[in-house]
Amino acid sequence: MKYFADINVMPMKALLDPQGKAVTGSMKNLGLSEIENVRIGKHITLEIEAETKEAASVKVDEACKKLLCNQIMEFYEFTIKEA
Amino acid sequence: MKYFADINVMPMKALLDPQGKAVTGSMKNLGLSEIENVRIGKHITLEIEAETKEAASVKVDEACKKLLCNQIMEFYEFTIKEA
């Protein structure tokens, strides 16, 4: 069966996010001073072939740990749904 | 009132996503050949001060159009929830 996974990889909350900081500053220059604390990470979508949702979840977790997420500086979360 | 916004900015479906293609290839080398069609975009979180959820939504839409998303190559979607 085919599943879709939606993965978010974000910089850890305890770490400074310079890209987000720069964008927060730019918001002020654009007249959007209500916007604060911007943080920027990656959004990854993929398709996976697996027997069950649980099996798909295990594979996606493995992909996050091995390739998509640098766990020293980032954390990840994902959702899986049937195609 | 304070709201949290979750924004996804992804490369348009019709366009090649070279970063995603490279990651799809790497999945095969890692023994995760079940994974296909990886696409990589940005995930942005921010806080916004607004009177209503609708007002927050309008501001976030403006931020996406003006700064966060290059609408020639990317599309965006977002959700807003109360802090």
Side-chain angles (χ1 to χ4, degrees):
Chain A
M1 233 176 143
K2 186 160 269 184
Y3 295 90
F4 289 126
D6 270 288
I7 306 165
N8 290 328
V9 178
M10 297 298 290
M12 281 186 180
K13 302 246 190 288
L15 296 179
L16 196 70
D17 172 16
Q19 197 185 358
K21 270 268 183 307
V23 169
T24 309
S26 302
M27 289 295 178
K28 310 239 176 305
N29 300 336
L30 283 171
L32 293 163
S33 52
E34 306 89 342
I35 292 177
E36 282 191 322
N37 203 6
V38 181
R39 295 186 77 82
I40 301 183
K42 285 177 289 186
H43 183 68
I44 301 154
T45 61
L46 54 83
E47 290 170 28
I48 180 164
E49 188 67 43
E51 304 241 315
T52 63
K53 198 169 173 178
E54 286 67 38
S57 174
V58 168
K59 286 288 177 187
V60 171
D61 196 68
E62 189 182 342
C64 288
K65 289 213 172 84
K66 280 192 180 169
L67 185 60
L68 300 174
C69 178
N70 168 4
Q71 287 191 285
I72 297 167
M73 296 172 62
E74 299 167 324
F75 68 95
Y76 65 91
E77 53 191 15
F78 61 85
T79 57
I80 291 182
K81 63 172 193 283
E82 275 182 36
Chain B
M1 230 173 146
K2 187 159 268 184
Y3 294 90
F4 289 125
D6 270 288
I7 306 165
N8 290 329
V9 178
M10 296 297 290
M12 280 185 180
K13 302 245 190 291
L15 297 180
L16 197 69
D17 170 16
Q19 197 186 357
K21 270 270 183 306
V23 169
T24 309
S26 302
M27 289 295 178
K28 310 240 175 303
N29 300 334
L30 284 171
L32 292 162
S33 52
E34 307 87 343
I35 292 177
E36 280 191 323
N37 203 6
V38 181
R39 295 187 76 82
I40 300 183
K42 285 177 289 186
H43 182 69
I44 301 153
T45 61
L46 55 83
E47 291 170 27
I48 180 164
E49 187 68 43
E51 305 240 318
T52 64
K53 196 168 173 178
E54 286 67 37
S57 176
V58 169
K59 286 286 177 187
V60 171
D61 196 68
E62 190 183 342
C64 287
K65 289 215 173 84
K66 280 191 179 168
L67 185 60
L68 300 173
C69 178
N70 169 3
Q71 286 191 286
I72 297 169
M73 296 173 61
E74 298 167 324
F75 68 95
Y76 65 90
E77 53 190 16
F78 61 86
T79 58
I80 291 182
K81 65 170 191 284
E82 276 183 35

